[in-house]
Amino acid sequence: MTVLLQQILDGLTAGVLYAAIALSLVLVYRTSKLVNFAQGELATFGAFLTWQFHDWGLPLSVALPASVAVSFVAGALMERTLIRPLLESSNHLGLFIVCLGVLVTLLQVEAWIWGYQVKEMPNVAEGPPIALGPTMISRQNVVIIAACVLIAVALWFLFQRTRFGLAMRAASDNTPSANLLGLPVTATLTFSWGIAAVIGTLMASLVAPNQFLQPGMLLPVLLYSVAAATLGGLDSPVGAIVGGLVVGVVENLAGTYVPGIGQDFKQAVAFAIIMIVLLARPQGLFGSRTVVRV
Amino acid sequence: MNRILRAVHKPRPSLELPAWLSLTTGVIVLGCLLYAPLISAPYANTQRALVCVYAVVGLGLHLLTGMTGQISLGHGFFFALGAYVSAVLAGTAGWPYLLAIPVAAAVGWGVGFVFGLPALRLSPLSLSVVTLALALITPSLIKRFDDVTHGARGIALDIAAPPAWTGLDRDQWVFYICLAVTTLTGVMCRLLSRGRTGRAMRGLRDNEAVATTMGIRPSTTKSFVFATSTALAAVAGVLYTYVTQFVAADAFHLTLAIAFLTMVVVGGLGSLPGVILGAIFVVYMPSWTAEINESASGLMYGVALVAFMFLMPYGVAGLLRAVGGPLLQRREQRAGQQE
Amino acid sequence: MSLLTVENLCAGYGGLRVLFDVSFGVEEGNITVILGANGAGKSTLLRALSGMIPATGTATLEGRRVVGRGRHRSAARLGIGHVPEGRGTFGSLTVEENLRAGGYHRPRSEVESSLEGWYEFFPRLGERRRQLASGLSGGEQQMLAIARALMGKPRLLLLDEPSLGLSPKLTGTLFTSLRAIKERLDMTILLVEQNAHLSLEIADDALVMSAGRLGPKQSAAELRQDQQIQRAYLGA
């Protein structure tokens, strides 16, 4: 029983990371109608930046905000320079290829600058793990979960309580109408990409101490996050979070309890989730039906 | 400069070279390819054989992307499948190595067809997601079946030895096999794309609804094309084992899928000769850049993917068409005036 | 003086030209209807006026150019409210959020009072203010789209086939509302319609468009009597 509870807790902790990256994917998908496969690598790059700033002697409390700020600019810039021209000519094949191109480029730039040797990233919260009933959770993981909750609340506030958030939702719902009403459609696009990059960098920097900071750190996570976003519905932020947690728990339990799956083969669970959801219910749990058309 | 950029941004029909020109070029190129291995270092022949290996995968992807407008990142999986069919049959079980080619083709076709039946019902966006996922899990799939594949340790092979009567070295012999398979594949692709299936596929790509009303069954045609392209990837996987004499899980990472994609993009989406140019690019480029930094070749792939989409969306083949088209036209006009 | 003056407007899609040298004026406070068959270019005209597609020629609203100035200023900012064909409501937003999006550029205090005003004018929208727009009926969606466009306080309201997909009874109600909007707000309306019978009932001026060219302006009352129009559009 304790093992089961511990597995579920570990699954949720892992799921929080999947949820965060899935959230980034969803933010981008809602505005640009594409799955940015480079999202995970952008986040890893952000974590490297945090490490680099810290290595230059900045305290983590300065290094992290600094890399988050750089990420916002980088994400926004990627949208402006690489994505929008192709989006305007609705070249979907081209967008897919460019996203992969960015993924590979980032991966190799990381390897070039920082090499493949794992970088030691300090924890934000040090100290012995905290006991939750019969289960244990590390302090860093508590911070990670708190950060994800914070992100979710902040996004909810942005979408539901601000004028710009309203414009973001309207623009992703019906772009021509949003243009006719004079809503700042292009600004919402750029902003979404920036925010998506910020979420990635923040979470990647926090999980870097556990995940071994090296190029391609989040490639396996990308797979789970794509599964999470697909399960939740590609255009639903709530779906991304629920999907992330579900995928985290299912993956962990399957790896432990289903015979023949084991630690290596857990990735196949994510693949199966993607395939089954896309075939049986393409809009996912919370997505809107229009996803099917794309 | 702008004029050139505009010119390569337009889709163009493939060049219709005059028959005598394509025939002479073909004979000369083939002659060179047959003669060159005899006077080259083994390393050069190995690289040429690898170009053929990539070209076979590229021809399969060309069929898929060029004809159905869909793209797959999952062909690395089928490439691995073929490689392990060869490693297990010809290596572990000691079958004649050439037998691995038809077996891999059949297995690749079957698995591809079964995978394609559900996958091809998906939208292009979803298909890209699914095939990327397949590319990401391929190494762990291989490691999962460790007892057969020997996972990351891999299987060392000693196959494709040249028959004594030829008097050839292994690198020369392997190159000739690869060249023969590539040529056959090229001819087959040309026949397929010109024939009934080709028309059906182009119809589907351009307007699925209209094509359906004309009696083309989308799911069958697409699955057929997809399975054919995965079969070719599997055959290429077999050739790969002849060239490298070794297979291990780590050769089939996402990098391989990216290399395949780069090949198609650089050569030109939907151009058959472009595939060969793309294959040359992905094989030779790493050896040129390796001196700078070991990450440089991967970086080149990434930069090439982005740059080509913006500068030359129809690849090198598109550039050749943009340059060669007007030249050919002028020649025809001159010929017309003389008559 | 005309509120909107259009001169030699040409527009199309890609290489296909749809509008040929269209010139006309819309008088302030009037409902002007443009009649025409499917594909005559009516929607294209409205799209060109609100900058959705590129166009050449000139169009001025109260002396300010609205066509040929690039895309950097949206139609809404220039005082044009455009209710597109098919309504274009935000299905995943609530009724109230749709209206707030319409009033995006106005100060918050004005938005609140306008909201109440529209809930009074269209009580159905008031009852359903917390519901998602996708759950509304066709007629309610059309009301919402009109109210949303008017939330931006435009000088000119463009309406693209509002009767599309509505029953004759609902269309009648809707057109009565349009007349009321015109009178209460002193709103100038440019209406594009296939339903000549009902639209000529409420319109002041009317023009006929065919194959991308516009006929002369007539009074709606005059046009109702026109034998040819009766045959072509009124089924008499």
Side-chain angles (χ1 to χ4, degrees):
Chain A
M1 190 60 196
T2 311
V3 179
L4 177 68
L5 280 177
Q6 187 65 48
Q7 285 295 330
I8 291 177
L9 186 65
D10 289 350
L12 286 175
T13 322
V16 164
L17 175 62
Y18 307 157
I21 302 293
L23 211 47
S24 301
L25 293 174
V26 165
L27 280 175
V28 162
Y29 181 85
R30 281 166 61 91
T31 47
S32 307
K33 303 289 176 271
L34 68 93
V35 179
N36 179 14
F37 293 120
Q39 203 74 57
E41 215 48 50
L42 271 168
T44 305
F45 200 89
F48 267 112
L49 279 184
T50 310
W51 177 87
Q52 186 66 69
F53 289 148
H54 182 261
D55 195 53
W56 282 337
L58 294 174
L60 215 50
S61 55
V62 180
L64 190 55
S67 66
V68 162
V70 173
S71 302
F72 182 87
V73 176
L77 219 60
M78 178 175 171
E79 194 276 326
R80 276 280 152 118
T81 54
L82 297 181
I83 303 301
R84 189 166 314 161
L86 295 175
L87 208 58
E88 277 169 0
S89 54
S90 58
N91 181 351
H92 292 290
L93 199 64
L95 284 168
F96 171 70
I97 290 168
V98 164
C99 284
L100 284 169
V102 172
L103 161 66
V104 180
T105 308
L106 286 174
L107 196 63
Q108 302 301 335
V109 169
E110 287 160 12
W112 195 320
I113 303 177
W114 292 292
Y116 279 99
Q117 206 181 5
V118 176
K119 298 278 183 255
E120 284 285 336
M121 181 83 116
N123 279 315
V124 174
E126 295 291 354
I130 300 164
L132 282 178
T135 61
M136 300 293 259
I137 183 166
S138 75
R139 283 167 196 267
Q140 182 75 5
N141 281 345
V142 173
V143 173
I144 290 169
I145 293 172
C148 191
V149 172
L150 193 75
I151 290 168
V153 171
L155 280 183
W156 177 86
F157 186 83
L158 171 71
F159 279 133
Q160 300 295 335
R161 287 286 177 268
T162 67
R163 263 158 44 98
F164 193 72
L166 179 66
M168 285 174 83
R169 287 196 292 144
S172 79
D173 183 294
N174 189 329
T175 313
S177 281
N179 272 321
L180 280 179
L181 296 175
L183 302 183
V185 174
T186 52
T188 65
L189 261 127
T190 311
F191 188 75
S192 299
W193 279 75
I195 289 292
V198 162
I199 294 174
T201 293
L202 181 62
M203 292 306 281
S205 301
L206 289 178
V207 301
N210 302 339
Q211 294 266 346
F212 306 114
L213 179 56
Q214 57 178 334
M217 170 179 82
L218 293 183
L219 267 184
V221 173
L222 177 72
L223 180 66
Y224 294 121
S225 297
V226 169
T230 313
L231 177 64
L234 268 174
D235 60 352
S236 162
V238 176
I241 294 173
V242 175
L245 296 178
V246 170
V247 169
V249 171
V250 167
E251 165 238 351
N252 243 322
L253 292 184
T256 313
Y257 291 104
V258 180
I261 287 192
Q263 293 306 305
D264 257 338
F265 205 51
K266 284 198 301 190
Q267 296 192 332
V269 175
F271 179 76
I273 291 175
I274 294 173
M275 196 77 180
I276 292 168
V277 172
L278 284 178
L279 287 170
R281 195 178 156 84
Q283 73 272 31
L285 296 175
F286 300 94
S288 60
R289 280 193 168 271
T290 48
V291 177
V292 188
R293 267 186 299 154
V294 179
Chain B
M1 187 62 200
N2 266 331
R3 225 185 70 207
I4 300 172
L5 271 184
R6 265 203 307 278
V8 292
H9 267 78
K10 266 194 230 141
R12 284 165 194 280
S14 50
L15 297 178
E16 290 294 335
L17 291 179
W20 64 266
L21 187 60
S22 35
L23 205 68
T24 3
T25 325
V27 168
I28 293 173
V29 169
L30 201 65
C32 291
L33 285 175
L34 285 174
Y35 181 65
L38 302 175
I39 53 164
S40 308
Y43 177 67
N45 288 337
T46 303
Q47 282 208 313
R48 286 174 197 149
L50 271 179
V51 171
C52 294
V53 170
Y54 275 95
V56 172
V57 180
L59 287 167
L61 287 172
H62 159 72
L63 276 183
L64 182 68
T65 309
M67 301 294 153
T68 66
Q70 285 181 311
I71 206 157
S72 163
L73 271 177
H75 275 49
F77 169 79
F78 297 95
F79 186 80
L81 194 65
Y84 279 103
V85 164
S86 169
V88 170
L89 289 188
T92 317
W95 288 26
Y97 62 92
L98 281 178
L99 214 55
I101 293 179
V103 174
V107 172
W109 205 94
V111 176
F113 194 79
V114 171
F115 179 81
L117 277 180
L120 294 166
R121 282 171 47 203
L122 301 172
S123 66
L125 176 94
S126 303
L127 185 68
S128 68
V129 169
V130 166
T131 57
L132 177 76
L134 185 62
L136 285 171
I137 67 165
T138 299
S140 61
L141 274 176
I142 295 170
K143 287 176 190 160
R144 169 68 184 77
F145 297 101
D146 190 66
D147 41 344
V148 183
T149 62
H150 301 281
R153 280 163 296 135
I155 307 172
L157 300 166
D158 183 15
I159 54 172
W165 55 265
T166 57
L168 293 169
D169 290 332
R170 174 133 64 188
D171 57 280
Q172 296 163 334
W173 176 243
V174 166
F175 171 76
Y176 286 133
I177 297 176
C178 292
L179 182 64
V181 174
T182 311
T183 313
L184 278 176
T185 310
V187 170
M188 189 198 81
C189 286
R190 229 180 156 77
L191 292 177
L192 261 183
S193 59
R194 297 231 161 141
R196 225 179 102 79
T197 323
R199 281 198 305 276
M201 289 188 292
R202 274 192 299 277
L204 276 181
R205 185 190 57 189
D206 296 339
N207 193 328
E208 191 161 324
V210 172
T212 311
T213 57
M214 290 169 74
I216 298 167
R217 299 242 302 273
S219 57
T220 319
T221 312
K222 277 191 200 167
S223 295
F224 177 79
V225 177
F226 189 79
T228 308
S229 75
T230 55
L232 286 177
V235 168
V238 176
L239 298 180
Y240 171 80
T241 59
Y242 298 171
V243 179
T244 59
Q245 302 286 330
F246 180 70
V247 278
D250 293 328
F252 307 103
H253 268 299
L254 183 66
T255 326
L256 182 72
I258 298 283
F260 290 162
L261 184 70
T262 311
M263 163 172 61
V264 189
V265 168
V266 167
L269 289 168
S271 154
L272 206 144
V275 166
I276 313 288
L277 298 174
I280 293 172
F281 176 83
V282 293
V283 170
Y284 285 98
M285 200 270 307
S287 56
W288 297 329
T289 53
E291 294 157 28
I292 310 170
N293 184 300
E294 55 181 322
S295 305
S297 69
L299 187 60
M300 283 297 289
Y301 287 168
V303 172
L305 285 177
V306 177
F308 269 85
M309 273 302 113
F310 278 90
L311 301 176
M312 271 192 247
Y314 295 93
V316 180
L319 179 69
L320 291 180
R321 285 173 186 179
V323 175
L327 283 180
L328 276 178
Q329 253 174 13
R330 213 171 302 160
R331 217 192 65 89
E332 271 165 28
Q333 278 166 4
R334 245 199 338 252
Q337 279 161 6
Q338 277 167 6
E339 271 168 23
Chain C
M1 187 201 140
S2 301
L3 182 79
L4 174 77
T5 313
V6 178
E7 270 162 19
N8 303 323
L9 192 73
C10 299
Y13 305 93
L16 180 74
R17 205 158 141 196
V18 178
L19 292 184
F20 300 89
D21 291 317
V22 170
S23 303
F24 69 105
V26 173
E27 304 309 316
E28 184 157 10
N30 277 8
I31 295 182
T32 305
V33 63
I34 295 180
L35 298 172
N38 226 339
K42 300 178 310 265
S43 293
T44 308
L45 173 61
L46 295 195
R47 288 194 191 122
L49 287 178
S50 58
M52 286 172 86
I53 55 170
T56 59
T58 57
T60 49
L61 183 73
E62 293 184 304
R64 289 195 299 171
R65 283 175 69 99
V66 291
V67 162
R69 50 186 306 146
R71 282 186 302 173
H72 58 283
R73 278 192 78 182
S74 73
R77 296 280 206 142
L78 291 163
I80 294 179
H82 184 160
V83 180
E85 195 175 352
R87 296 154 200 136
T89 50
F90 303 122
S92 63
L93 272 57
T94 65
V95 168
E96 181 152 327
E97 285 168 339
N98 267 276
L99 294 176
R100 284 185 189 279
Y104 191 80
H105 292 295
R106 292 174 60 205
R108 180 154 290 190
S109 54
E110 279 185 37
V111 169
E112 300 302 326
S113 64
S114 284
L115 272 178
E116 289 311 314
W118 286 112
Y119 289 150
E120 240 168 74
F121 190 83
F122 290 124
R124 295 290 289 161
L125 295 185
E127 289 162 24
R128 295 173 172 243
R129 63 169 83 178
R130 303 259 171 264
Q131 286 183 26
L132 292 186
S134 57
L136 300 184
S137 72
E140 289 162 350
Q141 297 233 12
Q142 191 64 58
M143 287 176 203
L144 177 60
I146 292 170
R148 186 181 66 178
L150 290 171
M151 281 294 292
K153 271 216 153 173
R155 296 288 293 124
L156 171 71
L157 182 65
L158 308 180
L159 284 169
D160 198 344
E161 301 259 7
S163 73
L164 202 73
L166 300 186
S167 70
K169 187 163 166 270
L170 266 175
T171 309
T173 325
L174 187 74
F175 280 18
T176 317
S177 314
L178 284 181
R179 190 84 207 176
I181 287 168
K182 173 206 147 170
E183 272 152 21
R184 253 202 247 176
L185 300 177
D186 197 25
M187 183 57 61
T188 313
I189 299 175
L190 177 59
L191 173 68
V192 145
E193 258 300 338
Q194 284 190 66
N195 186 334
H197 187 72
L198 277 169
S199 52
L200 285 176
E201 290 284 328
I202 60 159
D204 304 292
D205 304 319
L207 301 100
V208 176
M209 182 171 246
S210 67
R213 292 191 168 80
L214 205 55
K217 187 152 85 180
Q218 292 168 279
S219 82
E222 210 175 294
L223 206 60
R224 270 201 298 271
Q225 308 305 320
D226 191 312
Q227 298 279 314
Q228 254 186 321
I229 289 296
Q230 287 199 346
R231 266 201 301 278
Y233 294 104
L234 303 179

